[in-house]
Amino acid sequence: MTRYETILTETKNRVGLITLNRPKALNALNLRLMGEVTAAAADFDRDPEIGCLVITGSERAFAAGADIKEMQPNDYMDVYLSDWFAAWDRLGQIRKPTVAAVSGYALGGGCELAMLCDIVLAADTAVFGQPEIKLGVIPGIGGSQRLTRAVGKAKAMEMCLTGRTMDAEEAERAGLVSRVVPAADLLGEALAVAETVAGMSTPIAMMAKESVNRAFETTLAEGVRFERRLFHATFATADQKEGMAAFTEKRAATFVNR
Ligand code: CO8
């Protein structure tokens, strides 16, 4: 078992859980944490016993942003040459579905980390924002792009230009999160959603994820063509045979993830 300093990991019922664990810094995302989250996620992605990932923080903070104290001493050449934060892109390349369970602050990089996940569940205490402008910087982990695609230009502009935050209810109305649940139920709900996904055929869930994500990258015609090719490909899987046989035989499907 890999030992981490800034996160906790566990597995249950085909779900890999990553808990950000820098409570004194409200889970600020330093480079160590970035390396550990992306490494743990890549391990779960490779593990045939895992069908879905959950990323969560604490009750008070999912993550209060990139670690400002770690960033502060850097100059342009430092961040340019090290391509500061580029490693977060690896999380967007995870092929299995990911669920963010957000309670408390999801600010700056914290909001961006949630948006890197496929399903975002929010506690009623969640607060989302891109307050980088108050620090004299702009979002650096995709916030200006993913927030705009999620909630539209009007809200994204206001949030990125003024640092205004959104509460959970507004985030749900705006389409940033799929559902709001009472804070006490958040992790249980997130694990239940993840277990549902993990109970499907994993390769088919990966194709569904890939297809939905394609909508952010391409035209409607190309996206539909991409979806059609993957849909046809599902007929080459054992799980399509099993899923449809189970339906006609009126029984539960037993997927073999092939
Ligand atoms: N980085 C480092 N430490 C932090 C951070 C952070 N982002 N957020 C909180 N902490 C620390 C505090 O410094 C404090 O530590 P200490 O006790 O040692 O002073 C501890 O966490 C608790 O925080 P507070 O005392 O401030 O708690 P409050 O409840 O009073 O306030 C807030 C909570 C409102 C969340 C407040 O902490 C806050 O405003 N934090 C900063 C939020 C923010 O601005 N986030 C955006 C950061 S920038 C970013 O994410 C992307 C930058 C992209 C750059 C790209 C470069 C290539």
Side-chain angles (χ1 to χ4, degrees):
M1 189 77 182
T2 319
R3 295 194 77 80
Y4 296 113
E5 231 175 62
T6 63
I7 61 170
L8 305 168
T9 59
E10 55 187 287
T11 60
K12 199 181 157 200
N13 298 336
R14 292 187 52 78
V15 173
L17 173 65
I18 298 174
T19 305
L20 310 185
N21 189 31
R22 295 189 70 211
K24 287 189 188 133
L26 301 183
N27 291 330
L29 311 170
N30 63 8
L31 295 180
R32 170 121 207 170
L33 182 144
M34 173 174 68
E36 293 188 354
V37 169
T38 51
D43 281 349
F44 285 143
D45 208 25
R46 275 189 296 269
D47 184 343
E49 299 306 317
I50 296 295
C52 189
L53 284 66
V54 174
I55 300 180
T56 195
S58 67
E59 213 178 306
R60 191 164 165 223
F62 178 69
D67 191 314
I68 299 165
K69 293 166 191 167
E70 186 182 59
M71 275 186 295
Q72 186 185 5
N74 288 281
D75 65 18
Y76 171 70
M77 269 304 140
D78 295 326
V79 295
Y80 177 76
L81 289 175
S82 64
D83 208 359
W84 197 274
F85 288 152
W88 279 118
D89 296 344
R90 283 190 223 135
L91 198 64
Q93 287 156 11
I94 295 297
R95 298 179 73 205
K96 288 175 185 163
T98 53
V99 179
V102 179
S103 178
Y105 297 112
L107 301 178
C111 186
E112 293 168 301
L113 174 57
M115 291 189 293
L116 272 166
C117 295
D118 303 316
I119 298 175
V120 184
L121 283 192
D124 48 12
T125 57
V127 176
F128 297 88
Q130 298 290 161
E132 288 88 346
I133 195 151
K134 294 186 190 169
L135 301 166
V137 292
I138 68 170
I141 316 172
S144 64
Q145 305 305 298
R146 291 196 180 88
L147 187 66
T148 308
R149 282 166 169 77
V151 306
K153 176 180 164 182
K155 278 185 191 287
M157 275 291 186
E158 192 192 356
M159 290 171 76
C160 291
L161 291 176
T162 70
R164 178 175 87 76
T165 56
M166 266 191 198
D167 63 17
E169 201 186 303
E170 183 180 2
E172 185 185 23
R173 266 200 323 272
L176 182 58
V177 310
S178 69
R179 216 145 41 84
V180 179
V181 299
D185 302 342
L186 177 71
L187 188 57
E189 284 287 335
L191 290 171
V193 168
E195 281 172 25
T196 300
V197 174
M200 306 295 173
S201 161
T202 298
I204 302 297
M206 290 163 66
M207 289 185 201
K209 165 175 174 158
E210 198 181 355
S211 194
V212 173
N213 276 334
R214 196 69 171 202
F216 292 97
E217 307 285 351
T218 191
T219 62
L220 181 60
E222 281 306 316
V224 170
R225 198 195 313 272
F226 182 82
E227 178 196 77
R228 188 74 31 81
R229 290 290 169 265
L230 279 183
F231 169 75
H232 293 160
T234 62
F235 283 72
T237 65
D239 285 340
Q240 174 269 331
K241 306 284 173 263
E242 165 61 10
M244 293 194 178
F247 176 81
T248 53
E249 292 160 19
K250 299 189 187 297
R251 59 172 175 83
T254 306
F255 293 123
V256 293
N257 301 317
R258 303 287 300 181

